[in-house]
Amino acid sequence: MPLNKRVEILIMPTRKPPADRPGTPIKNRNFLSPTGFKFAITRSPAAAFFCNQANIPSMDLGVAIQPTYLKDIEVPGDKLQFGDLTIRFMVDEDLFNYMEIQNWMRGLGYPEKLDQLDDLHKSGKLANQFNREGENIYSDATLQILSNNLVPRFQVFFRDVFPYSLTTVNFDATDTDIEYFTAEASFKYTVYNIQDMNGNDL
């Protein structure tokens, strides 16, 4: 056998991970399920326990107009507008979870006497949240998103939540089919962040 004979070694190409392949950045090809979630709100745990609908709110960035002598140019604005957090929950027979939200709103609006706001301050579970004595009218909320196997994947953390709208509960003696009551509550908040289960922003 000649000593100068070249030996060729074939190296099989390796497939790059999805993040390194242009146009295919997604590692997990499973779709997000609309039924896999858990909602929790510190000031109203009963309403959160019976919650059957919640949302990740919308986000809008304002647009500024830069005038020119030709066509005005739209440029990104500098303020984000967050949509409302809205939940729907089953109403229990004692109206306990419904009154959690209603009493919270009554305390914020104190329609009968100023003591209602003071009572709201004292009843909160987040003592001295804003480092001002008695300022305890907000809450934090978390929307936990589950995988198809019901394993927590990530969470949406809402800061300084307070309710501003609560739907009616309509009674109707002519209904032949019993449908249990649901109510919707809408909340304002300071900001929300989408995080992994370790609290790191995605």
Side-chain angles (χ1 to χ4, degrees), residues 58-82:
S58 63
M59 180 185 295
D60 297 301
L61 177 64
V63 177
I65 303 298
Q66 178 181 334
T68 69
Y69 71 95
L70 295 174
K71 177 186 178 296
D72 291 343
I73 301 174
E74 296 176 339
V75 296
D78 56 359
K79 287 187 179 180
L80 280 174
Q81 298 291 331
F82 295 94

Side-chain angles (χ1 to χ4, degrees), residues 105-179:
M105 295 178 65
R106 284 177 178 272
L108 293 172
Y110 47 93
E112 299 172 279
K113 54 185 178 180
L114 291 176
D115 289 344
Q116 289 177 293
L117 181 59
D118 186 58
D119 293 340
L120 180 67
H121 288 162
K122 295 176 181 178
S123 66
K125 300 177 178 63
L126 304 176
N128 298 325
Q129 182 181 6
F130 294 92
N131 297 320
R132 295 195 297 270
E133 185 176 358
E135 187 81 72
N136 193 14
I137 59 178
Y138 303 97
S139 179
D140 290 335
T142 304
L143 176 63
Q144 193 175 90
I145 309 301
L146 311 179
S147 69
N148 290 324
N149 297 323
L150 302 181
V151 177
R153 297 288 297 176
F154 59 91
Q155 57 190 354
V156 187
F157 179 73
F158 297 87
R159 192 185 309 277
D160 306 336
V161 173
F162 69 93
Y164 77 93
S165 175
L166 181 64
T167 57
T168 60
V169 175
N170 293 317
F171 294 89
D172 187 352
T174 64
D175 281 345
T176 57
D177 297 328
I178 297 178
E179 294 185 5

Side-chain angles (χ1 to χ4, degrees), residues 12-111:
M12 297 298 294
T14 57
R15 188 173 178 83
K16 295 181 179 179
D20 297 334
R21 299 199 303 267
T24 58
I26 298 178
K27 295 180 180 179
N28 187 350
R29 301 297 179 89
N30 295 322
F31 297 113
L32 188 64
S33 171
T35 60
F37 74 95
K38 292 180 180 178
F39 182 74
I41 184 167
T42 306
R43 209 186 224 311
S44 184
F49 181 80
F50 285 102
C51 176
N52 57 17
Q53 181 176 309
N55 69 314
I56 300 178
S58 63
M59 180 185 295
D60 297 301
L61 177 64
V63 177
I65 303 298
Q66 178 181 334
T68 69
Y69 71 95
L70 295 174
K71 177 186 178 296
D72 291 343
I73 301 174
E74 296 176 339
V75 296
D78 56 359
K79 287 187 179 180
L80 280 174
Q81 298 291 331
F82 295 94
D84 294 340
L85 167 64
T86 301
I87 66 169
R88 185 177 65 193
F89 58 94
M90 304 291 294
V91 179
D92 68 278
E93 194 174 35
D94 296 327
L95 289 181
F96 184 82
N97 56 6
Y98 187 81
M99 293 309 299
E100 273 187 339
I101 304 294
Q102 188 176 117
N103 288 333
W104 189 356
M105 295 178 65
R106 284 177 178 272
L108 293 172
Y110 47 93

